[in-house]
């Protein structure tokens, strides 16, 4: 199975290294990406949107054969959902890592400060304590040293969706900062935070308790969870291909 890995804000393709290695060991083909415009100078990224980042991933998919699983962490989840909207006939599953699908007109985070035309990794005090769980001083220092900026319109621009077949694409949500029971309750109550998720026909939720960056705080466990979700989809594809 081809697996596209989209990192969240301030991370690049290298942040998926443990997950990529585990996928390869399991016989899958990872395609970690650095989102379009991430880390770029302000004058070059000012007009880049979520739609542009999704289109770049769709172009990657169009250049290869076979089905794909798309994985999105944090803000990368909004891009992953837009990719499912653009290519619902090619995406076999979307895996959200402490994230979820962003609906039409939604924004990832319009409260993040724009500094010199880009959105840099802010001070740690901006985040909730539960988001930072598992990030030791050493991990935080490494994260900050490797952090890449985000184009402003990716953070505060509106999501654009067009094809309701996206709701037919199965979803696995690996949740680190919110228990499954809470998510299911919010879905049942039509809470705006999970309204788009609740519209998806097939949703599996897997708990991986830690902070918002499990690829940093629990990389091996995240890798195992992603491989399990991908393998489940691959097994389903194989079963459908075998005549009965």
């Amino acid at each position: 199975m081809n697996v596209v890995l989209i990192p969240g804000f301030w991370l690049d393709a290298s942040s998926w290294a443990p997950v990529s290695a585990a996928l390869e060991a399991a016989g899958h083909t990872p395609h970690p990406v650095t989102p379009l415009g991430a880390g770029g100078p302000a004058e070059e990224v000012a007009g880049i949107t979520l739609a542009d980042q999704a289109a770049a991933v769709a172009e990657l998919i169009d250049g290869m054969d076979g089905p794909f699983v798309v994985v999105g962490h944090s803000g990368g989840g909004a891009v992953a959902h837009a990719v499912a909207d653009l290519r619902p006939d090619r995406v076999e599953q979307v895996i959200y890592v402490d994230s979820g699908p962003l609906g039409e007109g939604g924004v990832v985070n319009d409260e993040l400060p724009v500094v010199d035309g880009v959105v840099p990794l802010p001070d740690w005090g901006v985040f909730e304590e539960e988001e930072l769980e598992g990030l030791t001083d050493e991990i935080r220092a490494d994260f900050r040293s490797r952090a890449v900026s985000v184009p402003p319109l990716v953070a505060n621009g509106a999501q654009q969706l067009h094809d309701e077949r996206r709701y037919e694409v199965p979803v696995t949500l690996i949740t680190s900062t919110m228990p499954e029971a809470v998510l299911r309750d919010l879905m049942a109550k039509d809470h705006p935070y999970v309204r788009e998720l609740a519209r998806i026909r097939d949703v599996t939720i897997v708990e991986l308790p830690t902070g918002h960056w499990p690829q940093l705080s629990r990389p091996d466990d995240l890798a195992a969870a992603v491989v399990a979700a991908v393998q489940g989809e691959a097994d389903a594809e194989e079963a459908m291909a075998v005549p009965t």
Side-chain angles (χ1 to χ4, degrees), residues 168-236:
E168 303 298 331
V169 178
V171 159
T172 295
L173 195 157
I174 300 172
T175 179
S176 297
T177 57
M178 186 174 292
E180 178 180 2
V182 174
L183 280 168
R184 295 287 187 188
D185 183 59
L186 292 175
M187 291 167 67
K189 293 177 178 177
D190 192 34
H191 192 284
Y193 177 70
V194 292
R195 185 166 292 153
E196 187 76 355
L197 178 65
R199 297 186 68 180
I200 293 170
R201 309 288 186 260
D202 182 354
V203 177
T204 299
I205 299 177
V206 176
E207 292 185 0
L208 180 61
T210 185
H212 184 57
W213 290 275
Q215 65 270 68
L216 304 181
S217 59
R218 294 182 62 180
D220 292 342
D221 293 330
L222 175 62
V226 171
V227 168
V230 171
Q231 192 60 46
E233 188 59 39
D235 289 346

Side-chain angles (χ1 to χ4, degrees), residues 27-177:
H28 304 291
T29 305
H31 303 277
V33 301
T34 296
L36 182 69
E43 62 272 17
E44 294 181 10
V45 306
I48 292 176
T49 65
L50 283 169
D52 294 326
Q53 291 190 339
V57 176
E59 184 177 358
L60 171 67
I61 290 174
D62 291 343
M64 287 179 277
D65 296 328
F68 277 77
V69 170
V70 179
V71 182
H73 164 252
S74 190
V79 181
H81 189 50
V83 172
D85 179 78
L86 289 172
R87 298 292 184 271
D89 54 339
R90 295 291 308 281
V91 177
E92 296 294 316
Q93 178 185 197
V94 179
I95 301 173
Y96 295 99
V97 178
D98 214 43
S99 182
L102 182 68
E104 168 69 24
V107 299
V108 177
N109 190 335
D110 57 5
E111 296 182 357
L112 291 170
V114 177
V115 180
D116 296 329
V118 296
V119 179
L121 176 62
D123 293 337
W124 301 118
V126 168
F127 304 104
E128 302 291 336
E129 272 305 311
E130 56 265 28
E131 294 179 291
L132 300 174
E133 184 177 339
L135 296 189
T136 64
D137 290 343
E138 181 180 4
I139 292 174
R140 293 189 194 191
D142 181 62
F143 183 2
R144 191 164 294 280
S145 71
R146 297 189 296 121
V148 295
S149 58
V150 176
L153 290 179
V154 172
N156 57 43
Q159 174 83 293
Q160 299 177 20
L161 303 172
H162 312 281
D163 193 332
E164 291 201 353
R165 288 182 296 166
R166 65 185 180 272
Y167 298 128
E168 303 298 331
V169 178
V171 159
T172 295
L173 195 157
I174 300 172
T175 179
S176 297
T177 57

